Amino acid sequence: MYMTERGLHENGRDYAFRTITDNIIRLELAPGSRISENELASRLGLSRTPVREALQELVKAKLVEVYPQRGSVVSLIDYDLIEEARFVRCVLECAVIELVCDVVTPHQIAELESNVKMQEFWLENFSPEKLMELDNEFHRMLFVIANKHQSYVMMERMSMHFDRVRNMALNAVKDIKIVEDHKEILQAIRDKKPVLARQLMDHHLNRYRVDESAIRQLYPQYMKNR
């Protein structure tokens, strides 16, 4: 199980929610696997109450399902939920990228460039974990530049289903295009071309549809039947 330190002002429920969610996205807690409250509480150094509360939130988010005889189980991948998450991201991010083209500063462009260079490094020295972290940071930075950080926080909660297939794609797809996508988006930002930037972002966020067959082939046991 992947563990990170508990934040200084993070309560037990939020820490449990964040850690369990992260492990579901990373497939450390694989779709269809059972979840033990007692085991999670022990690993997290918490009582059962905050773990139970976190699992209740994950049930609401449809990342965990509860069955009378089996207990809590990580939900299978549901492409309907992924599509809904993609829709929300596309609406928000395509609007944000246009704002970014209007307000971005040279310093902010340099920060985006640094992020993309690190993506190139970890693509060459292949690390799905680092690529995922830098991918998330690239998109978060765009919302910060556009002064829409709270919109990013709202979107982040809904993106959890989308994030699971993003992580799978890093392992399933041989010719990964996300870094090239980010380079093209960054160039459109440099050139202050909002229409082109919006088109590139839309293409980038729809890439999961192209990757679906590869993901299903590698992870058939994780998929919910349509």
Side-chain angles (χ1 to χ4, degrees), residues 6-58:
R6 181 173 172 177
L8 184 61
H9 302 293
E10 193 172 33
N11 64 37
R13 182 193 63 186
D14 290 346
Y15 174 55
F17 181 88
R18 177 173 63 81
T19 304
I20 297 167
T21 301
D22 198 19
N23 278 274
I24 289 173
I25 290 170
R26 292 170 180 269
L27 303 184
E28 295 292 333
L29 293 172
S33 63
R34 293 182 62 183
I35 297 176
S36 166
E37 265 186 34
N38 288 334
E39 183 178 341
L40 285 172
S42 176
R43 294 292 300 273
L44 294 168
L46 299 170
S47 67
R48 290 180 60 186
T49 299
V51 172
R52 186 181 304 115
E53 291 173 347
L55 290 175
Q56 288 170 350
E57 289 300 308
L58 287 164

Short mmCIF file of all heavy atoms in Angstrom, two decimals, residues 6-58:
data_model
loop_
_atom_site.label_atom_id
_atom_site.label_comp_id
_atom_site.label_asym_id
_atom_site.label_seq_id
_atom_site.Cartn_x
_atom_site.Cartn_y
_atom_site.Cartn_z
N ARG A 6 0.84 12.17 6.86
CA ARG A 6 -0.38 12.92 7.17
C ARG A 6 -0.05 14.40 7.28
O ARG A 6 0.95 14.79 7.88
CB ARG A 6 -0.97 12.39 8.48
CG ARG A 6 -2.27 13.06 8.91
CD ARG A 6 -2.81 12.34 10.13
NE ARG A 6 -3.94 13.02 10.72
CZ ARG A 6 -4.63 12.56 11.76
NH1 ARG A 6 -4.28 11.39 12.32
NH2 ARG A 6 -5.65 13.23 12.26
N GLY A 7 -0.90 15.23 6.67
CA GLY A 7 -0.67 16.67 6.72
C GLY A 7 -0.81 17.22 8.13
O GLY A 7 -1.53 16.66 8.97
N LEU A 8 -0.15 18.33 8.38
CA LEU A 8 -0.11 18.92 9.72
C LEU A 8 -1.51 19.22 10.25
O LEU A 8 -1.80 19.00 11.43
CB LEU A 8 0.74 20.20 9.70
CG LEU A 8 0.96 20.90 11.04
CD1 LEU A 8 1.70 19.99 12.00
CD2 LEU A 8 1.73 22.21 10.84
N HIS A 9 -2.39 19.73 9.40
CA HIS A 9 -3.75 20.09 9.82
C HIS A 9 -4.80 19.15 9.21
O HIS A 9 -5.97 19.51 9.13
CB HIS A 9 -4.04 21.54 9.43
CG HIS A 9 -3.08 22.53 10.02
ND1 HIS A 9 -3.01 22.78 11.38
CD2 HIS A 9 -2.14 23.33 9.45
CE1 HIS A 9 -2.08 23.69 11.62
NE2 HIS A 9 -1.53 24.02 10.46
N GLU A 10 -4.38 17.97 8.80
CA GLU A 10 -5.28 17.01 8.15
C GLU A 10 -5.91 16.10 9.20
O GLU A 10 -5.20 15.43 9.96
CB GLU A 10 -4.49 16.18 7.14
CG GLU A 10 -5.32 15.36 6.19
CD GLU A 10 -4.46 14.72 5.11
OE1 GLU A 10 -3.29 14.38 5.39
OE2 GLU A 10 -4.96 14.56 3.98
N ASN A 11 -7.23 16.08 9.26
CA ASN A 11 -7.87 15.19 10.23
C ASN A 11 -7.84 13.74 9.75
O ASN A 11 -7.48 13.47 8.59
CB ASN A 11 -9.31 15.64 10.56
CG ASN A 11 -10.25 15.58 9.37
OD1 ASN A 11 -10.18 14.68 8.54
ND2 ASN A 11 -11.15 16.55 9.28
N GLY A 12 -8.19 12.83 10.63
CA GLY A 12 -8.07 11.41 10.31
C GLY A 12 -8.90 10.98 9.13
O GLY A 12 -8.45 10.21 8.28
N ARG A 13 -10.14 11.47 9.05
CA ARG A 13 -11.01 11.09 7.93
C ARG A 13 -10.44 11.55 6.60
O ARG A 13 -10.42 10.79 5.62
CB ARG A 13 -12.40 11.70 8.13
CG ARG A 13 -13.41 11.31 7.04
CD ARG A 13 -14.65 12.16 7.10
NE ARG A 13 -14.33 13.57 6.85
CZ ARG A 13 -15.21 14.55 6.96
NH1 ARG A 13 -16.44 14.31 7.36
NH2 ARG A 13 -14.84 15.80 6.71
N ASP A 14 -9.97 12.80 6.54
CA ASP A 14 -9.43 13.32 5.29
C ASP A 14 -8.16 12.58 4.89
O ASP A 14 -7.92 12.33 3.70
CB ASP A 14 -9.15 14.82 5.42
CG ASP A 14 -10.42 15.65 5.52
OD1 ASP A 14 -11.50 15.11 5.21
OD2 ASP A 14 -10.34 16.83 5.90
N TYR A 15 -7.33 12.26 5.87
CA TYR A 15 -6.10 11.52 5.59
C TYR A 15 -6.44 10.13 5.06
O TYR A 15 -5.84 9.66 4.07
CB TYR A 15 -5.27 11.41 6.86
CG TYR A 15 -4.03 10.55 6.74
CD1 TYR A 15 -3.07 10.79 5.75
CD2 TYR A 15 -3.83 9.47 7.60
CE1 TYR A 15 -1.94 10.00 5.64
CE2 TYR A 15 -2.70 8.67 7.49
CZ TYR A 15 -1.76 8.93 6.52
OH TYR A 15 -0.64 8.14 6.40
N ALA A 16 -7.42 9.47 5.69
CA ALA A 16 -7.82 8.14 5.23
C ALA A 16 -8.42 8.23 3.82
O ALA A 16 -8.09 7.41 2.95
CB ALA A 16 -8.84 7.54 6.19
N PHE A 17 -9.27 9.23 3.59
CA PHE A 17 -9.89 9.39 2.27
C PHE A 17 -8.83 9.60 1.20
O PHE A 17 -8.86 8.95 0.14
CB PHE A 17 -10.86 10.57 2.29
CG PHE A 17 -11.57 10.80 0.98
CD1 PHE A 17 -12.75 10.17 0.70
CD2 PHE A 17 -11.04 11.67 0.03
CE1 PHE A 17 -13.41 10.37 -0.52
CE2 PHE A 17 -11.67 11.88 -1.18
CZ PHE A 17 -12.86 11.23 -1.45
N ARG A 18 -7.89 10.50 1.45
CA ARG A 18 -6.85 10.79 0.47
C ARG A 18 -5.98 9.58 0.19
O ARG A 18 -5.68 9.27 -0.98
CB ARG A 18 -5.98 11.96 0.98
CG ARG A 18 -4.81 12.30 0.07
CD ARG A 18 -4.10 13.56 0.53
NE ARG A 18 -3.49 13.43 1.85
CZ ARG A 18 -2.32 12.85 2.08
NH1 ARG A 18 -1.64 12.29 1.08
NH2 ARG A 18 -1.82 12.80 3.30
N THR A 19 -5.59 8.87 1.23
CA THR A 19 -4.69 7.73 1.06
C THR A 19 -5.39 6.56 0.36
O THR A 19 -4.81 5.94 -0.54
CB THR A 19 -4.15 7.26 2.42
OG1 THR A 19 -3.51 8.37 3.07
CG2 THR A 19 -3.14 6.15 2.25
N ILE A 20 -6.61 6.28 0.75
CA ILE A 20 -7.34 5.17 0.12
C ILE A 20 -7.61 5.50 -1.35
O ILE A 20 -7.42 4.66 -2.24
CB ILE A 20 -8.67 4.87 0.87
CG1 ILE A 20 -8.37 4.42 2.29
CG2 ILE A 20 -9.47 3.81 0.12
CD1 ILE A 20 -9.59 4.41 3.19
N THR A 21 -8.03 6.73 -1.62
CA THR A 21 -8.28 7.15 -3.00
C THR A 21 -7.02 7.02 -3.84
O THR A 21 -7.06 6.50 -4.97
CB THR A 21 -8.78 8.61 -3.04
OG1 THR A 21 -9.98 8.73 -2.28
CG2 THR A 21 -9.03 9.06 -4.47
N ASP A 22 -5.91 7.48 -3.31
CA ASP A 22 -4.63 7.42 -4.03
C ASP A 22 -4.28 5.98 -4.36
O ASP A 22 -3.81 5.68 -5.48
CB ASP A 22 -3.54 8.05 -3.16
CG ASP A 22 -2.30 8.42 -3.96
OD1 ASP A 22 -2.40 8.52 -5.20
OD2 ASP A 22 -1.24 8.60 -3.35
N ASN A 23 -4.52 5.07 -3.44
CA ASN A 23 -4.20 3.66 -3.67
C ASN A 23 -5.17 3.01 -4.66
O ASN A 23 -4.78 2.09 -5.40
CB ASN A 23 -4.18 2.89 -2.35
CG ASN A 23 -2.87 3.05 -1.61
OD1 ASN A 23 -1.92 2.32 -1.84
ND2 ASN A 23 -2.80 4.05 -0.73
N ILE A 24 -6.40 3.48 -4.71
CA ILE A 24 -7.34 2.99 -5.72
C ILE A 24 -6.90 3.44 -7.10
O ILE A 24 -6.89 2.67 -8.07
CB ILE A 24 -8.77 3.46 -5.40
CG1 ILE A 24 -9.31 2.73 -4.16
CG2 ILE A 24 -9.70 3.23 -6.59
CD1 ILE A 24 -10.65 3.25 -3.67
N ILE A 25 -6.51 4.71 -7.23
CA ILE A 25 -6.06 5.24 -8.52
C ILE A 25 -4.79 4.54 -8.98
O ILE A 25 -4.62 4.23 -10.16
CB ILE A 25 -5.84 6.76 -8.41
CG1 ILE A 25 -7.20 7.47 -8.26
CG2 ILE A 25 -5.10 7.30 -9.64
CD1 ILE A 25 -7.10 8.93 -7.92
N ARG A 26 -3.88 4.24 -8.04
CA ARG A 26 -2.62 3.59 -8.37
C ARG A 26 -2.76 2.08 -8.59
O ARG A 26 -1.79 1.41 -8.93
CB ARG A 26 -1.61 3.81 -7.24
CG ARG A 26 -1.14 5.24 -7.09
CD ARG A 26 -0.35 5.41 -5.80
NE ARG A 26 0.12 6.77 -5.60
CZ ARG A 26 1.29 7.23 -6.01
NH1 ARG A 26 2.13 6.41 -6.64
NH2 ARG A 26 1.64 8.47 -5.82
N LEU A 27 -3.96 1.54 -8.37
CA LEU A 27 -4.24 0.10 -8.48
C LEU A 27 -3.59 -0.72 -7.36
O LEU A 27 -3.53 -1.94 -7.45
CB LEU A 27 -3.83 -0.46 -9.84
CG LEU A 27 -4.44 0.19 -11.08
CD1 LEU A 27 -3.98 -0.55 -12.33
CD2 LEU A 27 -5.95 0.20 -11.00
N GLU A 28 -3.08 -0.05 -6.34
CA GLU A 28 -2.62 -0.78 -5.16
C GLU A 28 -3.82 -1.46 -4.49
O GLU A 28 -3.69 -2.54 -3.92
CB GLU A 28 -1.92 0.17 -4.18
CG GLU A 28 -0.65 0.79 -4.71
CD GLU A 28 0.47 -0.22 -4.87
OE1 GLU A 28 0.48 -1.23 -4.16
OE2 GLU A 28 1.36 0.01 -5.74
N LEU A 29 -4.96 -0.79 -4.56
CA LEU A 29 -6.24 -1.39 -4.20
C LEU A 29 -6.98 -1.58 -5.53
O LEU A 29 -7.58 -0.64 -6.06
CB LEU A 29 -7.03 -0.48 -3.25
CG LEU A 29 -6.42 -0.30 -1.85
CD1 LEU A 29 -7.18 0.78 -1.07
CD2 LEU A 29 -6.43 -1.62 -1.08
N ALA A 30 -6.88 -2.76 -6.07
CA ALA A 30 -7.35 -3.02 -7.44
C ALA A 30 -8.87 -3.11 -7.51
O ALA A 30 -9.53 -3.49 -6.54
CB ALA A 30 -6.73 -4.32 -7.94
N PRO A 31 -9.44 -2.77 -8.67
CA PRO A 31 -10.88 -2.94 -8.87
C PRO A 31 -11.32 -4.36 -8.56
O PRO A 31 -10.69 -5.32 -9.00
CB PRO A 31 -11.08 -2.61 -10.35
CG PRO A 31 -9.95 -1.69 -10.67
CD PRO A 31 -8.80 -2.18 -9.86
N GLY A 32 -12.38 -4.49 -7.77
CA GLY A 32 -12.90 -5.80 -7.39
C GLY A 32 -12.31 -6.37 -6.12
O GLY A 32 -12.81 -7.38 -5.60
N SER A 33 -11.26 -5.73 -5.58
CA SER A 33 -10.63 -6.26 -4.36
C SER A 33 -11.40 -5.83 -3.12
O SER A 33 -12.02 -4.77 -3.08
CB SER A 33 -9.18 -5.81 -4.27
OG SER A 33 -9.10 -4.40 -4.16
N ARG A 34 -11.34 -6.67 -2.09
CA ARG A 34 -12.03 -6.38 -0.83
C ARG A 34 -11.20 -5.40 0.00
O ARG A 34 -9.97 -5.38 -0.07
CB ARG A 34 -12.27 -7.67 -0.04
CG ARG A 34 -13.26 -8.62 -0.71
CD ARG A 34 -13.49 -9.85 0.15
NE ARG A 34 -14.08 -9.48 1.44
CZ ARG A 34 -14.33 -10.36 2.42
NH1 ARG A 34 -14.03 -11.64 2.25
NH2 ARG A 34 -14.86 -9.96 3.55
N ILE A 35 -11.92 -4.60 0.79
CA ILE A 35 -11.27 -3.63 1.66
C ILE A 35 -11.62 -3.96 3.11
O ILE A 35 -12.79 -4.11 3.46
CB ILE A 35 -11.74 -2.20 1.33
CG1 ILE A 35 -11.34 -1.81 -0.09
CG2 ILE A 35 -11.17 -1.20 2.33
CD1 ILE A 35 -11.84 -0.45 -0.51
N SER A 36 -10.60 -4.05 3.93
CA SER A 36 -10.79 -4.34 5.34
C SER A 36 -10.63 -3.06 6.16
O SER A 36 -9.56 -2.43 6.13
CB SER A 36 -9.78 -5.39 5.81
OG SER A 36 -9.72 -5.45 7.22
N GLU A 37 -11.66 -2.68 6.89
CA GLU A 37 -11.59 -1.51 7.77
C GLU A 37 -10.47 -1.66 8.79
O GLU A 37 -9.69 -0.74 9.03
CB GLU A 37 -12.92 -1.31 8.51
CG GLU A 37 -13.86 -0.36 7.87
CD GLU A 37 -15.09 -0.11 8.74
OE1 GLU A 37 -14.97 -0.12 9.98
OE2 GLU A 37 -16.17 0.09 8.16
N ASN A 38 -10.41 -2.84 9.39
CA ASN A 38 -9.42 -3.09 10.43
C ASN A 38 -7.99 -2.97 9.88
O ASN A 38 -7.11 -2.37 10.50
CB ASN A 38 -9.61 -4.48 11.05
CG ASN A 38 -10.84 -4.54 11.92
OD1 ASN A 38 -11.28 -3.53 12.47
ND2 ASN A 38 -11.41 -5.74 12.06
N GLU A 39 -7.77 -3.56 8.71
CA GLU A 39 -6.44 -3.54 8.11
C GLU A 39 -6.04 -2.12 7.72
O GLU A 39 -4.90 -1.69 7.97
CB GLU A 39 -6.40 -4.45 6.88
CG GLU A 39 -5.02 -4.54 6.24
CD GLU A 39 -5.00 -5.48 5.06
OE1 GLU A 39 -5.91 -6.32 4.94
OE2 GLU A 39 -4.07 -5.36 4.25
N LEU A 40 -6.98 -1.38 7.13
CA LEU A 40 -6.68 0.00 6.75
C LEU A 40 -6.39 0.86 7.98
O LEU A 40 -5.45 1.66 7.98
CB LEU A 40 -7.86 0.60 5.97
CG LEU A 40 -8.03 0.13 4.53
CD1 LEU A 40 -9.33 0.66 3.96
CD2 LEU A 40 -6.86 0.58 3.67
N ALA A 41 -7.18 0.69 9.03
CA ALA A 41 -6.97 1.46 10.25
C ALA A 41 -5.59 1.19 10.82
O ALA A 41 -4.88 2.11 11.25
CB ALA A 41 -8.06 1.13 11.27
N SER A 42 -5.18 -0.08 10.79
CA SER A 42 -3.87 -0.45 11.31
C SER A 42 -2.75 0.16 10.47
O SER A 42 -1.78 0.72 11.01
CB SER A 42 -3.74 -1.98 11.34
OG SER A 42 -2.45 -2.36 11.76
N ARG A 43 -2.88 0.08 9.14
CA ARG A 43 -1.84 0.61 8.26
C ARG A 43 -1.72 2.13 8.36
O ARG A 43 -0.63 2.69 8.27
CB ARG A 43 -2.13 0.23 6.80
CG ARG A 43 -2.05 -1.26 6.51
CD ARG A 43 -0.62 -1.79 6.62
NE ARG A 43 0.30 -1.15 5.71
CZ ARG A 43 0.51 -1.54 4.45
NH1 ARG A 43 -0.15 -2.58 3.96
NH2 ARG A 43 1.38 -0.92 3.68
N LEU A 44 -2.88 2.79 8.57
CA LEU A 44 -2.89 4.25 8.61
C LEU A 44 -2.61 4.81 10.01
O LEU A 44 -2.43 6.02 10.17
CB LEU A 44 -4.24 4.77 8.11
CG LEU A 44 -4.57 4.51 6.64
CD1 LEU A 44 -6.04 4.80 6.36
CD2 LEU A 44 -3.68 5.34 5.74
N GLY A 45 -2.61 3.93 11.01
CA GLY A 45 -2.41 4.39 12.38
C GLY A 45 -3.60 5.17 12.91
O GLY A 45 -3.45 6.11 13.68
N LEU A 46 -4.81 4.76 12.49
CA LEU A 46 -6.04 5.44 12.88
C LEU A 46 -6.99 4.47 13.57
O LEU A 46 -6.83 3.25 13.47
CB LEU A 46 -6.73 6.02 11.65
CG LEU A 46 -5.96 7.07 10.82
CD1 LEU A 46 -6.71 7.33 9.52
CD2 LEU A 46 -5.78 8.37 11.61
N SER A 47 -8.00 5.01 14.23
CA SER A 47 -9.08 4.17 14.72
C SER A 47 -10.00 3.82 13.55
O SER A 47 -9.85 4.36 12.44
CB SER A 47 -9.88 4.91 15.80
OG SER A 47 -10.58 6.01 15.23
N ARG A 48 -10.95 2.94 13.77
CA ARG A 48 -11.83 2.52 12.68
C ARG A 48 -12.80 3.62 12.25
O ARG A 48 -13.24 3.64 11.11
CB ARG A 48 -12.63 1.27 13.10
CG ARG A 48 -11.77 0.01 13.21
CD ARG A 48 -12.60 -1.18 13.63
NE ARG A 48 -13.66 -1.47 12.69
CZ ARG A 48 -14.61 -2.39 12.88
NH1 ARG A 48 -14.61 -3.10 14.00
NH2 ARG A 48 -15.54 -2.61 11.97
N THR A 49 -13.13 4.53 13.16
CA THR A 49 -14.15 5.54 12.86
C THR A 49 -13.77 6.43 11.67
O THR A 49 -14.57 6.56 10.72
CB THR A 49 -14.45 6.40 14.09
OG1 THR A 49 -14.97 5.57 15.13
CG2 THR A 49 -15.49 7.47 13.77
N PRO A 50 -12.60 7.07 11.63
CA PRO A 50 -12.27 7.90 10.46
C PRO A 50 -12.13 7.08 9.18
O PRO A 50 -12.45 7.58 8.09
CB PRO A 50 -10.94 8.56 10.85
CG PRO A 50 -10.38 7.72 11.93
CD PRO A 50 -11.55 7.17 12.67
N VAL A 51 -11.69 5.82 9.30
CA VAL A 51 -11.60 4.97 8.12
C VAL A 51 -12.99 4.66 7.60
O VAL A 51 -13.24 4.71 6.39
CB VAL A 51 -10.83 3.67 8.44
CG1 VAL A 51 -10.90 2.70 7.27
CG2 VAL A 51 -9.38 3.98 8.78
N ARG A 52 -13.92 4.35 8.51
CA ARG A 52 -15.29 4.07 8.11
C ARG A 52 -15.91 5.29 7.44
O ARG A 52 -16.61 5.18 6.42
CB ARG A 52 -16.13 3.65 9.32
CG ARG A 52 -17.55 3.20 8.97
CD ARG A 52 -18.36 2.81 10.19
NE ARG A 52 -17.66 1.78 10.95
CZ ARG A 52 -17.20 1.95 12.18
NH1 ARG A 52 -17.33 3.13 12.78
NH2 ARG A 52 -16.60 0.97 12.82
N GLU A 53 -15.67 6.48 8.00
CA GLU A 53 -16.21 7.71 7.43
C GLU A 53 -15.63 7.96 6.03
O GLU A 53 -16.34 8.39 5.12
CB GLU A 53 -15.89 8.90 8.35
CG GLU A 53 -16.66 8.86 9.66
CD GLU A 53 -16.21 9.95 10.62
OE1 GLU A 53 -15.14 10.56 10.37
OE2 GLU A 53 -16.91 10.18 11.62
N ALA A 54 -14.34 7.69 5.86
CA ALA A 54 -13.71 7.85 4.55
C ALA A 54 -14.32 6.89 3.54
O ALA A 54 -14.59 7.27 2.39
CB ALA A 54 -12.21 7.63 4.66
N LEU A 55 -14.55 5.65 3.95
CA LEU A 55 -15.15 4.67 3.05
C LEU A 55 -16.58 5.06 2.67
O LEU A 55 -17.01 4.84 1.53
CB LEU A 55 -15.13 3.28 3.69
CG LEU A 55 -13.74 2.63 3.82
CD1 LEU A 55 -13.84 1.32 4.58
CD2 LEU A 55 -13.11 2.39 2.45
N GLN A 56 -17.30 5.66 3.60
CA GLN A 56 -18.65 6.13 3.29
C GLN A 56 -18.62 7.21 2.21
O GLN A 56 -19.48 7.24 1.31
CB GLN A 56 -19.32 6.66 4.56
CG GLN A 56 -19.71 5.57 5.55
CD GLN A 56 -20.14 6.12 6.90
OE1 GLN A 56 -20.00 7.31 7.19
NE2 GLN A 56 -20.67 5.25 7.75
N GLU A 57 -17.61 8.10 2.28
CA GLU A 57 -17.45 9.13 1.25
C GLU A 57 -17.08 8.50 -0.09
O GLU A 57 -17.53 8.95 -1.15
CB GLU A 57 -16.38 10.13 1.67
CG GLU A 57 -16.78 11.05 2.81
CD GLU A 57 -18.00 11.89 2.45
OE1 GLU A 57 -17.98 12.53 1.39
OE2 GLU A 57 -18.97 11.87 3.24
N LEU A 58 -16.27 7.45 -0.06
CA LEU A 58 -15.88 6.77 -1.29
C LEU A 58 -17.04 6.00 -1.91
O LEU A 58 -17.11 5.84 -3.13
CB LEU A 58 -14.70 5.83 -1.01
CG LEU A 58 -13.37 6.56 -0.79
CD1 LEU A 58 -12.34 5.64 -0.15
CD2 LEU A 58 -12.82 7.10 -2.11
#
